[in-house]
Amino acid sequence: MTELDTIVAPATAVARSALAIVRIDGPDSANILQRLADIRPDERQATHIALKHQGEVLDDCIAIRYAAPQSFTGNDMVELTLHGSPLIVDRVISAVVALGARIAEPGEFTERAVLNGKLDLVQAESIADLIDARTAVQAKLSLRNLDGVLSRKATEIRETLLHVISRLEAALDFSEEGYEFITRDDARARVERARDDVRAIASTFARGRATTSGLSAVILGRPNAGKSTLLNRLVGSERAIVTAQPGTTRDIVRETIDIGGLPVTIADTAGLRATSDEVEEIGIARAKEAARAADIVIFLVDASTGVTADDHLDEFHDALVVYTKRDIARAPAGQLAISAKTGEGVDELLRRLDLIVRERFAAPESSPTIVNERQRAAVAECESALDAAIVSLDEGAEEQYVVVDLYRAANALGALTGAITREDVFREIFSKFCIGK
Ligand SMILES: Nc1nc2c(ncn2[C@@H]2O[C@H](COP(=O)(O)OP(=O)(O)OP(=O)(O)O)[C@@H](O)[C@H]2O)c(=O)[nH]1
Ligand SMILES: [Mg+2]
């Protein structure tokens, strides 16, 4: 095995701040620290040291030394808490590089943690999501996956499959003697339960993705319906231009607010109407395109004119229809009505939006949830392999065919968490399964 590089990088944003952390990871980390500070701090003891390089003081800092395998990466590691000056961070990193380390690649510390089995792939991904989280609900979902809710479920299902595989394979080895290590009914029942569990995980994708990436909402409606006025009220600032002239908004204006615990990016668009103005027409095309791609469409109807054929409301049947200008006109009974100008009814609109986000998009609070395309693909592969295995079992196919699909399913779950597969099957056979010798 080749010797691991020692790597260095700032762990905090490079900006003026009270403190800044620099991480050094790899076999040389403690030696480099010793050469900069003249001492080798005790493991896991915050130690106040002066960093010097080539006769110059770099900073006065707190160093913590971790010894493998008890560190975030599982390697020998040093964390330096410096004063938060980008210049100091730069000089310290240059000194560490001069002493033999190299600058870390993006994500390399976490990658090392995965390679050392400190984290699995899902946990590594959830660290990135957690750092990107903009709302408490997003942070909660990332923390659950970092804690291993999804990984544990995937591992549990995978172990069930490996158990079935090992018994079917044992039956193959001993087929001449006529031993049966698992009945087909038992195998089928276990595989079916695994398939149902995997299906349940697969079904969380839309919500998991929506929760991590946030949602898009588009405000549509005819010119002067009050779209820009509503956007401004929702974001609490004069973000979009409002005038009494129809056709004011041309380009899309976007702002993100928290609704139902998720970041929702709201787009104010050009009013929909037939027009000969080229710029306005482009704006209207963009509005429609944005609405088709949006998670939520809020369709504003001016209560003083009501719905007309020009609205083309039928093109957006999922839209939440909201009557505006209730301060000057009455909306049809039972319809959600607001005045963006006075604020009447806007709370009710926000409650409705909150409900839509929670009921249609937010991730469930407790079940294992997948959040990205890589995870979706792995789970889908597993589900299709299990479907195939069930068909084979039902058709009375030989064990060896069933086993091929079960391996594919187990490997897909292994790919999800980053685990290895074939060796695990051996371990399952040898550790728990005594063949009587
Ligand atoms: N009385 C009343 N006037 C409103 C209300 N909402 C908007 N307006 C007025 O209606 C006019 C148009 O408002 P905007 O918010 O610019 O309408 P818009 O839908 O963005 O219009 P376009 O950008 O042209 O498509 C302005 O004069 C607003 O002050 C409301 O709830 N009540
Ligand atoms: Mg507007």
Side-chain angles (χ1 to χ4, degrees), residues 223-229 240-243 245 247-250 268-271:
N224 263 1
K227 301 180 293 297
S228 302
T229 309
I241 298 171
V242 169
T243 73
Q245 201 181 311
T248 304
T249 306
R250 303 295 181 83
D268 172 30
T269 59

Side-chain angles (χ1 to χ4, degrees), residues 96-140:
V96 173
V97 168
L99 293 172
R102 69 166 166 81
I103 306 280
E105 303 287 334
E108 201 171 1
F109 291 91
T110 310
E111 184 186 342
R112 288 183 168 197
V114 171
L115 289 173
N116 285 329
K118 286 277 167 178
L119 292 174
D120 67 31
L121 284 184
V122 171
Q123 290 174 312
E125 284 171 330
S126 53
I127 289 184
D129 290 338
L130 182 59
I131 291 168
D132 285 341
R134 283 169 289 169
T135 67
V137 171
Q138 290 182 309
K140 235 157 116 179

Side-chain angles (χ1 to χ4, degrees), residues 219 221-232 240-250 268-273 280 300 302 324-328 338-343:
I219 306 176
R222 291 217 313 280
N224 263 1
K227 301 180 293 297
S228 302
T229 309
L230 176 61
L231 177 84
N232 290 347
I241 298 171
V242 169
T243 73
Q245 201 181 311
T248 304
T249 306
R250 303 295 181 83
D268 172 30
T269 59
L272 306 177
R273 66 170 168 184
E280 192 179 357
L300 300 192
D302 185 336
T324 60
K325 307 194 184 180
R326 70 181 250 189
D327 54 306
I328 54 165
I338 63 166
S339 164
K341 200 169 200 168
T342 67

Side-chain angles (χ1 to χ4, degrees), residues 224-428:
N224 263 1
K227 301 180 293 297
S228 302
T229 309
L230 176 61
L231 177 84
N232 290 347
R233 185 162 279 282
L234 292 175
V235 305
S237 73
E238 298 306 303
R239 180 67 179 83
I241 298 171
V242 169
T243 73
Q245 201 181 311
T248 304
T249 306
R250 303 295 181 83
D251 245 343
I252 294 180
V253 179
R254 291 192 168 88
E255 275 296 313
T256 302
I257 62 171
D258 183 335
I259 298 177
L262 297 189
V264 179
T265 300
I266 301 182
D268 172 30
T269 59
L272 306 177
R273 66 170 168 184
T275 178
S276 52
D277 182 310
E278 194 187 344
V279 180
E280 192 179 357
E281 199 174 318
I282 294 171
I284 290 169
R286 287 188 180 183
K288 288 185 169 172
E289 199 182 304
R292 276 190 289 272
D295 298 303
I296 300 169
V297 175
I298 303 167
F299 201 105
L300 300 192
V301 177
D302 185 336
S304 59
T305 46
V307 178
T308 70
D310 285 346
D311 281 295
H312 296 290
L313 236 179
D314 49 320
E315 285 177 37
F316 306 97
H317 22 247
D318 267 351
L320 175 65
V321 177
V322 181
Y323 283 79
T324 60
K325 307 194 184 180
R326 70 181 250 189
D327 54 306
I328 54 165
R330 191 191 288 275
Q335 294 292 329
L336 182 55
I338 63 166
S339 164
K341 200 169 200 168
T342 67
E344 286 170 88
V346 173
D347 278 351
E348 176 59 22
L349 169 61
L350 280 171
R351 267 196 294 281
R352 291 278 286 274
L353 289 172
D354 195 277
L355 208 69
I356 290 173
V357 170
R358 285 177 203 279
E359 287 184 350
R360 299 224 301 251
F361 299 101
E365 282 265 328
S366 54
S367 34
T369 301
I370 50 174
V371 300
N372 63 36
E373 178 54 31
R374 188 193 72 81
Q375 296 172 0
R376 187 206 61 77
V379 170
E381 163 79 2
C382 179
E383 188 183 341
S384 86
L386 291 178
D387 282 338
I390 289 172
V391 169
S392 297
L393 281 164
D394 287 347
E395 287 174 348
E398 288 185 27
E399 276 81 359
Q400 64 210 49
Y401 294 113
V402 179
V403 162
V404 168
D405 286 325
L406 293 182
Y407 264 125
R408 189 154 70 84
N411 286 345
L413 292 176
L416 174 66
T417 61
I420 326 149
T421 44
R422 189 73 210 184
E423 282 175 19
D424 291 14
V425 183
F426 290 158
R427 206 169 313 132
E428 164 80 16

